[in-house]
Amino acid sequence: MKLAADPNTREVIVVGGGIAGLSAAIYLGRAQRDVLVIDSGHSMAKWEPVVQNYLGFPNGVGGEELLKNGRIQAKRYEARLIRDEIKSVSARKSIFVLKGKRKTYRTKRLLIATGIFHLPPEIPGVKQCLGHSMFFCKDCDGYRVRRKRIAIIGASNEAVEYALDMLHYSACVIVATNGKRAHWDKQHGRWLKEYEIPVARKRIRDVDHRKRKIRALKFASGPGVKIDYLFTTRGDIFHNQLAKKLGAKLDSDGQIKVDHCMRTSVPRLYAAGCVTPANCQMIIAAGQGAAAAQAINRDLFEESLASHSLRRFRDEQLESEKTVPEVERPKSKARRR
Ligand SMILES: Cc1cc2nc3c(=O)[nH]c(=O)nc-3n(C[C@H](O)[C@H](O)[C@H](O)COP(=O)(O)OP(=O)(O)OC[C@H]3O[C@@H](n4cnc5c(N)ncnc54)[C@H](O)[C@@H]3O)c2cc1C
C-alpha cells in the first residue's frame, strides 16, 4: 500500500533518464514514492564503450549497459519510465506542469537531471571517433591514453593547462589551435615554452581515422602530424532551460546552482548530474541523483505530516490491514512432578 496520491499529479517527476535520473528513480521507487522518469533518450553515457572508472566493474562496463541495467533496476522498484521530451514547464501554486511532445504531466516535486552536451570540434572525421579516440575528459580517459601521442585542440588557458596535465599520462602531447588565434595569457604561453609542448597553429582540414581510431591530423597546408588520441576543450551546452524557465539560479557557465542536498533556489525543484556544477562523471551523477532523491523523500515526508495526508494514509491502513502484531503466548510448561 502506498500513500494515496492524486491520480493526475505525481509525487515526483524526474526529467532525464540518464545516470543521475535513474539513480534517483531507484531511490525514490525504494522509498515507495510515486515516481515517473521522462527521458528523451540521449544520455551521454551512451557514447562510452567501456567505462573504466565506475566502482564495482574491474573490467569496465559499457555506458549503454549501465543505462539498461539502471532502467531494469528502477522498474523493479516500481518507478515508471516514459520516452518523451519536455518542451516547457510552469509552476501553478504548488504543482509543476510539464508539457512534453507527447503529453502533459503534473507533479509535486520536480528533479531536473537533463545533463549537458559536450561540443565536439567541427572538424571532418571527429564525430566518428567520439568515445573511441576523441575524448572530452582527462579524468575519464587520461589513463587509457598513457604513453600515446595526444593532441589537445584549443587556443585558451584551459587548453594549455589540459596539455600540461596530460604530461602525467604521456610525454608526447601537442596543442593544436585549429587556425584560431591563441588567446592564452602570458603565463600560459611561458608554461608552453618552459615545458616544451609543441603548438600546431594551422587550420585542421580533417582527421585521418580508421575503424574509429585516429591516425593523424591533416592541416590545410603542409604535412600532417601522427597522433593516436584527440582531446578538446571547446565547451559544453547545459540543458538548463526548464530550470531557467522556473527562475532557478544558474552560475556564469549556465549550470544550475544547488545546495548539498541538490535543492535549487526554487522551492520543490531539485537538480542533479552534469547540469549542476558537479564534475561531469558518472559516479558523481549517480551519487547526486541519490542525494536528490533522499532530499525529495524527506521533504515529501515532512509535507505529509504538515498536511495530515500521512494521517489519512494511516486511517486507510487501520481500516484495511492488520496493524498490530499478534501477542506471543508463553508455551505451557510441562507439568511438574
Ligand atoms: C564520449 C563520452 C565519454 C564519457 N566517458 C565517461 C567515463 O568513462 N566515465 C565517466 O564517469 N563519465 C564519462 N562521461 C560522462 C558521463 O556520460 C556523464 O557524466 C553522465 O552521463 C552524466 O549523467 P547525467 O544523468 O547528468 O546526464 P546524462 O546521462 O547525459 O542524461 C541526461 C538525460 O536527460 C535527457 N533529457 C535532456 N533534456 C530532456 C528533456 N527536455 N526532456 C526529457 N529528457 C531530457 C537526455 O536525453 C538524457 O537521457 C563520458 C561522456 C562522453 C560524452
Side-chain angles (χ1 to χ4, degrees):
M1 187 176 187
K2 284 191 181 182
L3 195 106
D6 169 357
N8 297 315
T9 306
R10 298 269 169 193
E11 282 189 300
V12 192
I13 283 182
V14 179
V15 182
I19 303 294
L22 288 172
S23 172
I26 292 163
Y27 269 69
L28 288 162
R30 288 174 56 77
Q32 298 282 279
R33 293 296 175 192
D34 164 40
V35 54
L36 173 69
V37 179
I38 303 172
D39 184 43
S40 56
H42 304 294
S43 167
M44 280 182 300
K46 284 183 174 183
W47 289 100
E48 181 52 69
V50 190
V51 184
Q52 295 179 335
N53 57 354
Y54 202 93
L55 181 74
F57 296 93
N59 299 318
V61 57
E64 281 270 18
E65 191 187 342
L66 207 54
L67 291 168
K68 187 172 149 228
N69 285 340
R71 285 193 290 270
I72 293 170
Q73 201 175 347
K75 283 184 194 165
R76 175 166 293 170
Y77 301 116
E78 295 172 60
R80 290 213 49 217
L81 275 57
I82 196 167
R83 179 60 62 87
D84 201 351
E85 185 181 339
I86 301 303
K87 302 303 273 181
S88 69
V89 62
S90 57
R92 295 189 197 150
K93 293 188 182 159
S94 55
I95 301 295
F96 295 108
V97 180
L98 303 160
K99 288 207 169 131
K101 275 188 180 167
R102 294 174 52 200
K103 273 175 75 178
T104 297
Y105 311 85
R106 292 160 55 88
T107 183
K108 290 182 182 175
R109 293 291 186 283
L110 178 59
L111 171 58
I112 306 279
T114 43
I116 62 177
F117 178 67
H118 295 306
L119 287 165
E122 284 166 355
I123 299 169
V126 155
K127 274 198 184 134
Q128 294 88 323
C129 302
L130 280 183
H132 294 267
S133 51
M134 152 76 226
F135 300 121
F136 301 93
C137 158
K138 287 190 301 279
D139 295 341
C140 306
D141 302 305
Y143 187 84
R144 63 181 106 217
V145 304
R146 282 166 305 145
R147 293 184 284 281
K148 302 292 181 190
R149 294 167 296 191
I150 299 160
I152 314 296
I153 297 201
S156 61
N157 284 350
E158 191 191 351
V160 175
E161 287 181 24
Y162 219 104
L164 290 166
D165 207 5
M166 288 308 286
L167 296 177
H168 290 289
Y169 302 106
S170 174
C172 188
V173 178
I174 68 164
V175 172
T177 62
N178 191 20
K180 304 257 160 58
R181 194 182 58 79
H183 53 276
W184 46 70
D185 62 22
K186 281 185 184 155
Q187 176 59 65
H188 286 75
R190 277 197 292 271
W191 277 332
L192 280 175
K193 284 199 180 111
E194 182 186 342
Y195 288 89
E196 300 182 43
I197 294 175
V199 180
R201 293 178 189 267
K202 287 184 188 156
R203 186 177 66 77
I204 301 166
R205 193 185 66 218
D206 60 34
V207 167
D208 180 17
H209 62 93
R210 189 178 293 170
K211 293 186 181 164
R212 298 172 177 248
K213 291 284 294 165
I214 293 176
R215 291 146 58 101
L217 295 182
K218 299 278 178 66
F219 297 105
S221 62
V225 53
K226 285 185 184 173
I227 57 156
D228 305 303
Y229 292 99
L230 200 57
F231 284 76
T232 181
T233 56
R234 196 167 158 225
D236 302 313
I237 294 175
F238 294 89
H239 297 309
N240 58 17
Q241 300 86 343
L242 301 176
K244 206 169 164 182
K245 178 81 199 317
L246 292 168
K249 285 189 181 149
L250 309 177
D251 69 11
S252 56
D253 290 329
Q255 305 173 108
I256 305 170
K257 285 189 177 178
V258 284
D259 68 10
H260 67 287
C261 293
M262 305 294 118
R263 295 185 182 99
T264 71
S265 57
V266 173
R268 299 180 300 283
L269 179 69
Y270 309 75
C274 293
V275 75
T276 74
N279 190 352
C280 192
Q281 297 288 290
M282 291 188 197
I283 203 148
I284 295 175
Q288 282 200 335
Q294 286 186 314
I296 292 169
N297 189 39
R298 177 76 206 171
D299 292 351
L300 283 168
F301 168 68
E302 285 175 4
E303 187 181 275
S304 72
L305 285 176
S307 68
H308 300 286
S309 65
L310 188 60
R311 181 59 245 182
R312 290 192 290 279
F313 177 62
R314 183 63 179 151
D315 285 343
E316 283 175 37
Q317 279 183 334
L318 290 166
E319 224 168 77
S320 61
E321 293 185 40
K322 192 186 248 179
T323 56
V324 181
E326 293 92 354
V327 175
E328 192 185 41
R329 304 214 178 274
K331 286 191 187 128
S332 56
K333 286 179 187 159
R335 212 185 292 155
R336 284 189 194 148
R337 295 208 167 167

